[in-house]
Amino acid sequence: MNVASAANAMNVTSVALRAGLTRGLIELRQSFTNGGDLLSHFLWPVLMLTVMFFMRDASFGTSGLLLGTLALPSILGMNAAMGMVSMTCSPTSRSC
């Protein structure tokens, strides 16, 4: 690989990263102007933080593991899945 092709590859990569970042910021700005998107962005995390707060001192049987420790991976997975569902149900797609 010569110097010219390496420089061209870096230029293509930086252009693609810049375009992706710009498009992502546009999508984020548009999602913050839509009430339904705001609800999906904040409702589930607030509900899960409330649940985690009330589970903070409860343990799982005699194992000594806290319920919050056991529930955290599931909550993070649910938040990621709900984010993906809200992205696929955007007005531009007709799948929902």
Side-chain angles (χ1 to χ4, degrees), residues 6-7 22 31-32 34 37 46 55-56 59 65-66 78 81 90:
T22 303
S31 73
F32 282 141
N34 185 355
D37 285 343
V46 167
M55 289 189 337
R56 70 185 182 277
S59 62
L65 291 172
L66 296 177
M78 187 208 64
S90 67

Side-chain angles (χ1 to χ4, degrees), residues 7-18:
N8 188 26
M10 288 296 291
N11 189 27
V12 169
T13 303
S14 65
V15 168
L17 288 173
R18 187 176 304 122

Side-chain angles (χ1 to χ4, degrees), residues 52 54-61 64-73 75:
M52 292 287 287
F54 287 114
M55 289 189 337
R56 70 185 182 277
D57 294 327
S59 62
F60 182 70
L65 291 172
L66 296 177
L67 279 178
T69 305
L70 296 172
L72 185 62
I75 290 171

Side-chain angles (χ1 to χ4, degrees), residues 42-60:
F42 295 116
L43 175 69
W44 295 111
V46 167
L47 287 175
M48 292 303 111
L49 283 173
T50 304
V51 168
M52 292 287 287
F53 176 76
F54 287 114
M55 289 189 337
R56 70 185 182 277
D57 294 327
S59 62
F60 182 70

